[in-house]
Amino acid sequence: MEPELRNRIKVQRAICDLTQAELAEKAGVTRKSVNAIETGRMVPSVLLALKLANALGVTVDALFTLDGDAPK
Amino acid sequence: MSTSEVFMAEPISNRSEIYLRFSRRSMAVVLMVVLMLSAMGIALTLHANVPKTAIWLIPIAIAIAVVVLQSTTRGDRWDPESPEAKALLNDEWRQANLNRATRVAFGLTLLVQVPLGLLFAAGLELQVQQAVTAMVISTTGFGVTSMISLFLWFDRE
């Protein structure tokens, strides 16, 4: 069975007190992209994952995990 | 304050939404124009007696659409160098939706060739030149309109 990608963007956003629009602006993407990633409709590229992680001040590992992996 | 100053005073997130709305409405306008052109082309191909004055409806409709689109950006011009425009143009979600819409539209256009061919070649009993012209116009129109429609659907909120 294919492992599924999980993300903690919404949680990290709440910690940083950012709206989707504010996070999108910091990462240089549209709010729809952030929404699509949060809801699992889109798997971001490495570049976008890095931009989101930088915008939230965390590592990519802290944002994205494979199903079954323990969060770092 | 001028409309441009009002626009620039908006929070950037609002400006991104304005650009996004402008982009979607622009595509809807292109969709309408292509539909109108295709319909006009098919009508002229099948019936040479279509009033030529009807052709003037197209530039009038385009002019009205441009005015409506300008109101979306509140009078400010699309600036391709602005961070909001770059975010929109390089957006991965939109690019993924465009790719998906293009693939599906291509498949649908291929599928629709057989019924269109049967319709124009056999069903309507057209001359060869008329049938070919009608096929070209309807295939192009169907391809473009289905691609834009699918993109607007996939990219919806």
Side-chain angles (χ1 to χ4, degrees):
Chain A
M1 195 165 142
E2 280 290 314
E4 212 174 292
L5 186 71
R6 301 271 183 217
N7 71 78
R8 299 182 71 244
I9 295 177
K10 195 170 183 178
V11 170
Q12 287 296 332
R13 242 189 342 104
I15 292 170
C16 298
D17 193 25
L18 290 172
T19 62
Q20 284 184 344
E22 287 165 347
L23 174 59
E25 179 197 327
K26 286 184 83 172
V29 293
T30 64
R31 182 190 52 78
K32 282 188 175 182
S33 272
V34 173
N35 181 270
I37 296 168
E38 276 189 15
T39 54
R41 286 181 294 158
M42 181 175 100
V43 176
S45 65
V46 171
L47 180 62
L48 182 50
L50 283 166
K51 284 182 179 177
L52 288 170
N54 282 344
L56 291 166
V58 296
T59 61
V60 174
D61 283 346
L63 275 187
F64 298 97
T65 53
L66 284 175
D67 213 4
D69 285 359
K72 300 196 170 68
Chain B
M1 284 171 84
S2 67
T3 50
S4 292
E5 286 167 345
V6 169
F7 182 81
M8 291 306 291
E10 295 262 5
I12 288 179
S13 55
N14 285 353
R15 296 214 300 269
S16 293
E17 292 298 312
I18 288 170
Y19 272 178
L20 191 63
R21 229 173 14 236
F22 173 75
S23 171
R24 286 183 62 84
R25 289 183 185 178
S26 298
M27 297 197 79
V29 165
V30 171
L31 176 65
M32 291 298 122
V33 168
V34 171
L35 272 172
M36 287 173 65
L37 285 173
S38 301
M40 189 68 66
I42 297 280
L44 284 170
T45 301
L46 299 182
H47 300 285
N49 298 333
V50 169
K52 298 297 186 282
T53 50
I55 295 172
W56 286 105
L57 287 174
I58 294 174
I60 291 171
I62 292 173
I64 293 171
V66 167
V67 169
V68 169
L69 281 176
Q70 283 290 97
S71 69
T72 306
T73 57
R74 302 177 193 177
D76 198 50
R77 290 195 180 159
W78 168 265
D79 177 13
E81 296 303 317
S82 66
E84 303 84 30
K86 284 183 178 175
L88 194 67
L89 293 170
N90 297 327
D91 189 64
E92 285 186 16
W93 176 237
R94 282 172 65 87
Q95 286 174 354
N97 287 334
L98 189 60
N99 290 339
R100 191 158 51 129
T102 305
R103 281 197 309 271
V104 175
F106 178 67
L108 289 175
T109 305
L110 285 178
L111 279 174
V112 90
Q113 292 303 291
V114 172
L116 278 179
L118 289 172
L119 174 70
F120 291 129
L124 296 177
E125 295 179 348
L126 301 173
Q127 295 174 2
V128 172
Q129 188 182 357
Q130 272 183 309
V132 169
T133 306
M135 274 299 290
V136 167
I137 294 170
S138 55
T139 298
T140 308
F142 183 86
V144 174
T145 54
S146 59
M147 191 194 77
I148 296 174
S149 303
L150 285 166
F151 172 73
L152 290 173
W153 175 254
F154 291 149
D155 201 50
R156 72 192 187 283
E157 203 61 51

